[in-house]
Coordinates of all heavy atoms in Angstrom, one line a residue:
M1 N 66.0 77.8 104.7 CA 66.7 79.1 104.7 C 67.1 79.5 106.2 O 66.2 79.4 107.1 CB 65.8 80.2 104.2 CG 66.6 81.5 103.9 SD 65.7 82.6 102.7 CE 64.7 83.5 103.9
E2 N 68.3 79.9 106.3 CA 68.8 80.2 107.6 C 68.5 81.6 108.0 O 68.8 82.5 107.2 CB 70.3 79.9 107.7 CG 70.7 79.0 108.8 CD 72.2 78.7 108.8 OE1 72.6 77.8 108.1 OE2 72.9 79.4 109.6
N3 N 68.0 81.8 109.1 CA 67.7 83.2 109.6 C 68.1 83.4 111.0 O 67.3 83.9 111.8 CB 66.2 83.6 109.3 CG 66.0 85.1 109.4 OD1 67.0 85.8 109.3 ND2 64.8 85.5 109.5
T4 N 69.2 82.9 111.4 CA 69.6 83.0 112.7 C 70.4 84.4 112.9 O 71.6 84.5 112.7 CB 70.6 81.9 113.2 OG1 71.5 81.7 112.1 CG2 69.8 80.6 113.4
E5 N 69.6 85.4 113.1 CA 70.1 86.7 113.2 C 70.9 86.9 114.5 O 70.4 86.9 115.6 CB 69.0 87.7 113.2 CG 69.3 88.9 112.4 CD 68.1 89.9 112.3 OE1 67.2 89.6 111.5 OE2 68.1 90.9 113.0
K6 N 72.2 87.0 114.4 CA 73.0 87.1 115.6 C 73.2 88.6 115.8 O 73.7 89.3 115.0 CB 74.4 86.5 115.5 CG 75.1 86.4 116.8 CD 76.5 85.7 116.7 CE 77.1 85.7 118.0 NZ 77.3 87.0 118.7
K7 N 72.8 89.0 117.0 CA 72.9 90.5 117.3 C 74.3 90.9 117.5 O 75.1 90.1 118.0 CB 72.1 90.8 118.6 CG 70.7 91.3 118.4 CD 70.2 91.9 119.7 CE 69.0 92.7 119.5 NZ 68.6 93.3 120.8
D8 N 74.6 92.0 117.0 CA 76.0 92.5 117.2 C 76.2 92.9 118.6 O 75.2 93.3 119.3 CB 76.2 93.8 116.3 CG 77.6 94.2 116.3 OD1 78.4 93.7 115.5 OD2 78.0 95.1 117.2
I9 N 77.3 92.7 119.1 CA 77.6 92.9 120.5 C 77.3 94.4 120.9 O 76.8 94.7 122.0 CB 79.1 92.5 120.9 CG1 79.3 92.6 122.4 CG2 80.1 93.4 120.2 CD1 78.7 91.5 123.2
L10 N 77.5 95.3 120.0 CA 77.3 96.7 120.3 C 75.8 97.0 120.5 O 75.4 97.9 121.2 CB 77.8 97.6 119.2 CG 79.3 97.6 118.9 CD1 79.7 98.7 118.0 CD2 80.1 97.6 120.2
E11 N 74.9 96.1 119.9 CA 73.5 96.3 120.1 C 73.0 95.5 121.3 O 72.0 95.9 121.9 CB 72.7 95.9 118.8 CG 73.0 96.7 117.6 CD 72.5 96.0 116.4 OE1 71.5 95.2 116.5 OE2 73.0 96.3 115.3
E12 N 73.8 94.5 121.6 CA 73.3 93.6 122.6 C 73.5 94.2 124.0 O 72.7 93.9 124.9 CB 74.1 92.3 122.5 CG 73.5 91.1 123.1 CD 74.3 89.8 122.8 OE1 74.4 89.5 121.6 OE2 74.8 89.2 123.7
L13 N 74.6 94.9 124.2 CA 74.9 95.4 125.5 C 74.0 96.6 125.9 O 73.6 97.4 125.1 CB 76.4 95.9 125.6 CG 77.4 94.8 125.4 CD1 78.8 95.4 125.2 CD2 77.4 93.8 126.6
E14 N 73.6 96.6 127.2 CA 72.7 97.7 127.6 C 73.5 98.8 128.4 O 74.2 98.5 129.3 CB 71.7 97.1 128.5 CG 70.6 96.4 127.7 CD 69.4 96.1 128.6 OE1 69.0 97.0 129.5 OE2 68.8 95.0 128.5
L15 N 73.2 100.0 127.9 CA 73.8 101.1 128.6 C 72.8 101.8 129.5 O 71.6 101.9 129.1 CB 74.3 102.1 127.6 CG 75.6 101.8 126.9 CD1 75.3 100.9 125.7 CD2 76.4 103.0 126.5
Y16 N 73.3 102.3 130.6 CA 72.4 103.1 131.4 C 72.1 104.5 130.7 O 72.7 104.8 129.7 CB 73.1 103.4 132.8 CG 73.3 102.2 133.7 CD1 74.0 102.4 134.9 CD2 72.7 101.0 133.4 CE1 74.2 101.3 135.7 CE2 72.8 99.9 134.2 CZ 73.6 100.1 135.4 OH 73.8 99.0 136.2
D17 N 71.2 105.2 131.3 CA 71.0 106.6 130.8 C 72.3 107.4 131.0 O 73.1 107.1 131.8 CB 69.9 107.3 131.5 CG 68.5 106.6 131.2 OD1 68.5 105.9 130.2 OD2 67.6 106.9 131.9
C18 N 72.4 108.5 130.3 CA 73.6 109.3 130.4 C 73.8 109.8 131.8 O 72.8 110.3 132.4 CB 73.4 110.5 129.4 SG 74.7 111.8 129.6
P19 N 75.0 109.7 132.4 CA 75.2 110.1 133.8 C 75.1 111.6 133.9 O 75.0 112.1 135.0 CB 76.6 109.6 134.1 CG 77.2 109.3 132.7 CD 76.1 109.0 131.8
I20 N 75.2 112.3 132.8 CA 75.2 113.8 132.8 C 73.8 114.3 132.7 O 73.3 115.1 133.4 CB 76.1 114.4 131.7 CG1 77.5 113.8 131.8 CG2 76.2 115.9 131.9 CD1 78.3 114.0 133.1
C21 N 73.1 113.9 131.6 CA 71.8 114.5 131.3 C 70.6 113.5 131.3 O 69.5 113.9 131.0 CB 71.9 115.2 130.0 SG 71.8 114.1 128.5
H22 N 71.0 112.2 131.6 CA 69.9 111.2 131.5 C 69.4 110.9 130.2 O 68.3 110.4 130.0 CB 68.8 111.4 132.6 CG 69.4 111.6 134.0 ND1 69.9 110.5 134.7 CD2 69.5 112.6 134.8 CE1 70.3 110.9 135.9 NE2 70.1 112.2 135.9
G23 N 70.1 111.3 129.2 CA 69.7 111.0 127.8 C 70.0 109.6 127.4 O 70.5 108.8 128.2
V24 N 69.8 109.3 126.2 CA 70.1 107.9 125.7 C 71.5 107.7 125.3 O 72.0 108.5 124.5 CB 69.1 107.6 124.5 CG1 69.4 106.2 124.0 CG2 67.7 107.7 124.9
G25 N 72.2 106.7 125.9 CA 73.6 106.4 125.6 C 73.6 105.4 124.5 O 72.8 104.5 124.5
M26 N 74.6 105.4 123.6 CA 74.8 104.4 122.7 C 76.3 104.1 122.4 O 77.1 104.9 122.6 CB 74.1 104.7 121.4 CG 74.6 106.1 120.8 SD 73.8 106.5 119.2 CE 74.8 105.4 118.1
L27 N 76.5 102.8 122.0 CA 77.9 102.5 121.6 C 78.1 102.8 120.2 O 77.3 102.7 119.3 CB 78.1 101.0 121.8 CG 78.2 100.5 123.3 CD1 78.2 99.0 123.3 CD2 79.5 101.0 123.9
D28 N 79.3 103.2 119.9 CA 79.7 103.5 118.5 C 81.2 103.1 118.3 O 81.9 102.9 119.3 CB 79.6 105.0 118.3 CG 79.3 105.3 116.8 OD1 79.4 104.4 116.0 OD2 79.0 106.5 116.5
E29 N 81.5 102.9 117.1 CA 82.9 102.5 116.8 C 83.4 103.1 115.5 O 82.6 103.4 114.6 CB 83.0 101.0 116.8 CG 82.3 100.4 115.5 CD 82.6 98.9 115.5 OE1 83.7 98.4 115.8 OE2 81.7 98.2 115.1
S30 N 84.6 103.4 115.5 CA 85.2 103.9 114.3 C 86.7 103.5 114.2 O 87.4 103.7 115.1 CB 85.1 105.5 114.2 OG 85.9 106.1 115.2
N31 N 87.0 102.9 113.1 CA 88.4 102.5 112.8 C 89.1 101.7 113.9 O 90.2 102.0 114.3 CB 89.2 103.7 112.5 CG 88.7 104.5 111.3 OD1 88.3 103.9 110.3 ND2 88.8 105.8 111.3
G32 N 88.3 100.8 114.5 CA 88.9 99.9 115.5 C 88.9 100.5 116.9 O 89.6 100.0 117.8
W33 N 88.1 101.5 117.1 CA 88.0 102.1 118.4 C 86.5 102.1 118.8 O 85.7 102.3 118.0 CB 88.5 103.6 118.5 CG 89.9 103.8 118.1 CD1 90.5 103.6 116.9 CD2 91.0 104.1 119.1 NE1 91.8 103.9 117.0 CE2 92.2 104.2 118.3 CE3 91.0 104.3 120.4 CZ2 93.4 104.4 118.9 CZ3 92.2 104.6 121.0 CH2 93.4 104.7 120.2
I34 N 86.3 101.7 120.1 CA 84.9 101.7 120.6 C 84.7 102.7 121.7 O 85.6 102.9 122.5 CB 84.4 100.3 121.0 CG1 84.5 99.3 119.9 CG2 83.1 100.3 121.7 CD1 84.1 97.9 120.2
Y35 N 83.6 103.4 121.7 CA 83.3 104.3 122.8 C 81.8 104.4 122.9 O 81.0 104.0 122.0 CB 83.8 105.7 122.4 CG 83.4 106.3 121.1 CD1 82.3 107.2 121.1 CD2 83.9 105.9 119.9 CE1 81.9 107.8 119.9 CE2 83.5 106.5 118.7 CZ 82.5 107.4 118.7 OH 82.0 107.9 117.5
A36 N 81.3 105.0 124.0 CA 79.9 105.2 124.3 C 79.7 106.7 124.2 O 80.5 107.5 124.7 CB 79.5 104.6 125.6
I37 N 78.6 107.1 123.7 CA 78.3 108.5 123.6 C 76.8 108.8 123.8 O 76.0 107.9 123.5 CB 78.7 109.0 122.2 CG1 78.6 110.6 122.1 CG2 78.0 108.3 121.1 CD1 79.4 111.2 121.0
C38 N 76.5 109.9 124.4 CA 75.2 110.3 124.6 C 74.6 111.0 123.4 O 75.2 111.9 122.8 CB 75.1 111.3 125.8 SG 73.5 112.0 126.1
N39 N 73.4 110.6 123.0 CA 72.7 111.2 121.9 C 72.3 112.7 122.2 O 72.2 113.5 121.2 CB 71.4 110.5 121.6 CG 71.7 109.3 120.6 OD1 72.6 109.4 119.8 ND2 70.8 108.3 120.7
D40 N 72.1 113.0 123.4 CA 71.6 114.3 123.7 C 72.7 115.4 124.0 O 72.7 116.4 123.3 CB 70.7 114.3 124.9 CG 69.4 113.6 124.6 OD1 69.1 113.5 123.4 OD2 68.7 113.1 125.5
C41 N 73.6 115.1 124.9 CA 74.6 116.1 125.3 C 76.0 115.8 124.7 O 76.9 116.7 124.8 CB 74.7 116.2 126.8 SG 75.5 114.9 127.6
G42 N 76.2 114.7 124.1 CA 77.5 114.4 123.5 C 78.6 114.0 124.4 O 79.7 113.8 124.0
S43 N 78.3 113.8 125.7 CA 79.3 113.3 126.6 C 79.7 111.9 126.1 O 78.8 111.1 125.6 CB 78.7 113.2 128.0 OG 78.4 114.5 128.5
Q44 N 80.9 111.5 126.3 CA 81.3 110.2 125.8 C 82.4 109.6 126.7 O 83.1 110.3 127.5 CB 81.8 110.3 124.4 CG 83.1 111.1 124.2 CD 83.7 110.9 122.8 OE1 83.2 111.6 121.9 NE2 84.6 110.1 122.7
T45 N 82.6 108.3 126.6 CA 83.7 107.6 127.3 C 84.9 107.8 126.5 O 84.9 108.3 125.4 CB 83.4 106.1 127.5 OG1 83.4 105.6 126.2 CG2 82.1 105.8 128.2
G46 N 86.0 107.4 127.1 CA 87.3 107.4 126.3 C 87.1 106.4 125.2 O 86.3 105.5 125.3
E47 N 87.9 106.5 124.2 CA 87.8 105.6 123.1 C 88.8 104.4 123.4 O 90.0 104.7 123.7 CB 88.1 106.2 121.7 CG 87.1 107.3 121.4 CD 87.5 108.0 120.2 OE1 88.6 107.8 119.6 OE2 86.6 108.8 119.7
V48 N 88.4 103.2 123.2 CA 89.3 102.0 123.5 C 89.5 101.3 122.2 O 88.5 100.9 121.5 CB 88.6 101.1 124.6 CG1 89.6 100.0 125.0 CG2 88.2 102.0 125.8
P49 N 90.7 101.0 121.9 CA 91.0 100.3 120.7 C 90.9 98.8 120.8 O 91.1 98.2 121.9 CB 92.5 100.7 120.4 CG 93.0 100.9 121.7 CD 92.0 101.3 122.6
Y50 N 90.6 98.1 119.7 CA 90.6 96.6 119.7 C 91.2 96.2 118.3 O 91.3 96.9 117.4 CB 89.2 96.1 119.8 CG 88.3 96.3 118.6 CD1 88.3 95.5 117.5 CD2 87.5 97.5 118.6 CE1 87.5 95.8 116.5 CE2 86.7 97.8 117.6 CZ 86.7 96.9 116.5 OH 85.9 97.2 115.4
K51 N 91.7 94.9 118.3 CA 92.3 94.4 117.1 C 91.6 93.2 116.5 O 91.4 93.0 115.4 CB 93.8 94.1 117.3 CG 94.6 95.3 117.5 CD 96.1 95.0 117.2 CE 97.0 96.2 117.3 NZ 97.1 96.8 118.7
T52 N 91.1 92.3 117.5 CA 90.5 91.1 117.0 C 89.0 91.1 117.4 O 88.6 91.9 118.2 CB 91.2 89.9 117.7 OG1 91.0 89.9 119.1 CG2 92.6 89.9 117.4
A53 N 88.3 90.1 116.9 CA 86.8 90.0 117.2 C 86.7 89.8 118.7 O 85.7 90.3 119.3 CB 86.2 88.9 116.4
E54 N 87.6 88.9 119.3 CA 87.5 88.7 120.8 C 87.7 90.0 121.6 O 87.0 90.3 122.5 CB 88.5 87.6 121.2 CG 88.2 86.2 120.7 CD 88.6 86.0 119.3 OE1 89.6 86.5 118.9 OE2 87.9 85.3 118.6
E55 N 88.7 90.7 121.1 CA 89.0 91.9 121.8 C 87.9 92.9 121.7 O 87.6 93.6 122.6 CB 90.3 92.6 121.2 CG 91.6 92.2 121.9 CD 92.8 92.9 121.3 OE1 92.6 94.0 120.7 OE2 93.9 92.4 121.4
R56 N 87.3 92.9 120.5 CA 86.2 93.8 120.2 C 85.1 93.6 121.3 O 84.5 94.6 121.8 CB 85.6 93.6 118.8 CG 84.5 94.6 118.4 CD 84.2 94.3 117.0 NE 83.1 95.3 116.5 CZ 81.8 94.9 116.6 NH1 81.4 93.8 117.0 NH2 80.9 95.8 116.2
E57 N 84.7 92.4 121.5 CA 83.7 92.1 122.5 C 84.1 92.6 123.9 O 83.3 93.2 124.6 CB 83.3 90.6 122.5 CG 82.2 90.3 123.5 CD 81.6 88.9 123.2 OE1 81.7 88.4 122.0 OE2 81.0 88.3 124.1
A58 N 85.3 92.2 124.3 CA 85.8 92.6 125.6 C 85.9 94.1 125.8 O 85.5 94.7 126.8 CB 87.2 92.0 125.8
V59 N 86.3 94.8 124.7 CA 86.4 96.2 124.7 C 85.0 96.9 124.9 O 84.8 97.8 125.6 CB 87.2 96.8 123.5 CG1 86.9 98.2 123.3 CG2 88.6 96.5 123.6
A60 N 84.1 96.3 124.1 CA 82.7 96.8 124.2 C 82.1 96.7 125.6 O 81.5 97.6 126.1 CB 81.8 96.0 123.2
R61 N 82.4 95.6 126.2 CA 81.9 95.4 127.6 C 82.6 96.4 128.5 O 82.0 96.9 129.5 CB 82.2 94.0 128.1 CG 81.3 93.0 127.4 CD 81.5 91.6 127.9 NE 80.9 90.6 127.0 CZ 79.5 90.3 127.0 NH1 78.7 91.0 127.8 NH2 79.0 89.4 126.2
K62 N 83.9 96.6 128.3 CA 84.7 97.5 129.1 C 84.1 99.0 129.0 O 83.9 99.7 130.0 CB 86.1 97.5 128.7 CG 87.0 98.4 129.5 CD 87.2 97.8 130.9 CE 87.9 98.8 131.8 NZ 87.8 98.4 133.2
V63 N 83.8 99.3 127.8 CA 83.3 100.7 127.5 C 81.9 100.9 128.2 O 81.6 101.9 128.8 CB 83.2 100.9 126.0 CG1 82.3 102.2 125.7 CG2 84.5 101.1 125.4
V64 N 81.1 99.8 128.1 CA 79.8 99.9 128.8 C 80.0 100.0 130.3 O 79.3 100.8 131.0 CB 78.9 98.6 128.5 CG1 77.7 98.5 129.4 CG2 78.5 98.6 127.0
E65 N 81.0 99.3 130.8 CA 81.3 99.4 132.3 C 81.6 100.8 132.6 O 81.2 101.4 133.6 CB 82.4 98.5 132.6 CG 82.4 97.9 134.0 CD 83.6 96.9 134.1 OE1 83.5 95.9 133.5 OE2 84.6 97.3 134.8
L66 N 82.5 101.5 131.8 CA 82.9 102.8 132.1 C 81.7 103.8 132.0 O 81.6 104.6 132.9 CB 84.0 103.3 131.0 CG 85.3 102.6 131.1 CD1 86.2 103.0 129.8 CD2 86.1 103.0 132.3
W67 N 80.9 103.6 131.0 CA 79.7 104.5 130.9 C 78.8 104.3 132.1 O 78.3 105.3 132.7 CB 79.0 104.1 129.6 CG 77.7 104.8 129.4 CD1 76.5 104.3 129.8 CD2 77.5 106.1 128.8 NE1 75.5 105.3 129.5 CE2 76.1 106.3 128.8 CE3 78.4 107.0 128.2 CZ2 75.6 107.5 128.3 CZ3 77.8 108.2 127.7 CH2 76.5 108.4 127.8
N68 N 78.5 103.1 132.4 CA 77.6 102.8 133.5 C 78.1 103.3 134.9 O 77.4 103.5 135.8 CB 77.2 101.3 133.6 CG 76.4 100.9 132.4 OD1 75.9 101.8 131.6 ND2 76.2 99.6 132.2
M69 N 79.5 103.4 135.0 CA 80.1 104.0 136.2 C 80.1 105.5 136.2 O 80.5 106.1 137.2 CB 81.5 103.5 136.4 CG 81.6 102.0 136.9 SD 83.3 101.6 137.3 CE 84.2 101.9 135.8
G70 N 79.7 106.0 135.1 CA 79.7 107.5 134.9 C 81.1 108.1 134.6 O 81.3 109.3 134.7
K71 N 81.9 107.3 134.1 CA 83.3 107.8 133.7 C 83.2 108.3 132.2 O 83.6 107.7 131.3 CB 84.3 106.6 133.7 CG 84.5 106.2 135.2 CD 85.9 105.7 135.4 CE 86.1 105.5 136.9 NZ 87.5 105.1 137.2
V72 N 82.6 109.5 132.1 CA 82.5 110.1 130.8 C 83.2 111.4 130.7 O 83.5 112.1 131.7 CB 81.0 110.3 130.4 CG1 80.3 109.0 130.4 CG2 80.3 111.2 131.4
I73 N 83.5 111.8 129.5 CA 84.1 113.1 129.3 C 83.0 114.0 128.9 O 82.3 113.8 127.9 CB 85.1 113.0 128.1 CG1 86.2 112.0 128.4 CG2 85.7 114.4 127.8 CD1 86.9 111.4 127.2
V74 N 82.8 115.1 129.6 CA 81.7 116.0 129.3 C 82.1 116.9 128.1 O 83.2 117.5 128.1 CB 81.3 116.9 130.5 CG1 80.2 117.8 130.1 CG2 80.9 116.0 131.6
C75 N 81.3 117.0 127.2 CA 81.6 117.6 125.9 C 81.4 119.2 125.9 O 81.9 119.9 125.1 CB 80.8 117.0 124.8 SG 81.8 116.8 123.3
G76 N 80.7 119.6 126.9 CA 80.4 121.1 127.0 C 79.2 121.5 126.2 O 78.9 122.7 126.1
R77 N 78.4 120.5 125.7 CA 77.2 120.9 125.0 C 76.0 121.0 126.0 O 74.9 121.2 125.6 CB 76.9 120.0 123.9 CG 77.8 120.3 122.7 CD 77.1 119.8 121.4 NE 77.5 118.4 121.1 CZ 76.6 117.5 120.6 NH1 75.4 117.8 120.4 NH2 77.0 116.3 120.4
V78 N 76.3 120.7 127.3 CA 75.2 120.7 128.3 C 74.8 122.2 128.5 O 75.6 123.1 128.6 CB 75.7 120.2 129.6 CG1 74.5 120.1 130.6 CG2 76.3 118.8 129.4
E79 N 73.5 122.4 128.6 CA 73.1 123.8 128.8 C 73.0 124.1 130.3 O 72.7 123.3 131.1 CB 71.7 124.0 128.2 CG 71.8 124.0 126.7 CD 70.4 124.0 126.0 OE1 69.5 124.5 126.6 OE2 70.3 123.6 124.9
Ligands
ZN101 ZN1 73.9 113.2 128.0

């Protein structure tokens, strides 16, 4: 039985803490767009679209780069 669990790229990439509140950042995707968002304050990077599996990986890495550089949109939920 084969059990070679290949981690999804979105789980594999490591994000720094949120540049705004130091909360936990995570990657998310919806309808072909990937972005990083903070669980705590809701700050997020811009959403980047992809079309193919190769693009998806490249886009995921790009989004992580943006997040780790602190290029986020503050959502206004910060107290
Ligand atoms: Zn945050």
Side-chain angles (χ1 to χ4, degrees):
M1 194 163 88
E2 232 178 277
N3 195 16
T4 45
E5 221 175 283
K6 195 182 179 298
K7 264 196 169 182
D8 189 86
I9 187 73
L10 297 192
E11 294 168 25
E12 201 173 299
L13 295 171
E14 280 193 40
L15 284 86
Y16 292 172
D17 291 343
C18 172
I20 309 300
C21 75
H22 303 289
V24 178
M26 55 176 282
L27 284 170
D28 208 352
E29 68 176 322
S30 68
N31 300 322
W33 297 74
I34 295 180
Y35 57 98
I37 187 162
C38 171
N39 269 337
D40 290 340
C41 73
S43 296
Q44 65 172 82
T45 63
E47 299 177 351
V48 187
Y50 67 88
K51 288 198 178 67
T52 64
E54 290 80 36
E55 266 184 27
R56 183 172 181 268
E57 182 164 337
V59 162
R61 291 184 192 283
K62 181 72 190 165
V63 167
V64 168
E65 207 177 293
L66 290 172
W67 174 267
N68 290 351
M69 282 191 304
K71 297 213 171 182
V72 299
I73 302 157
V74 180
C75 219
R77 281 204 272 143
V78 187
E79 287 173 30

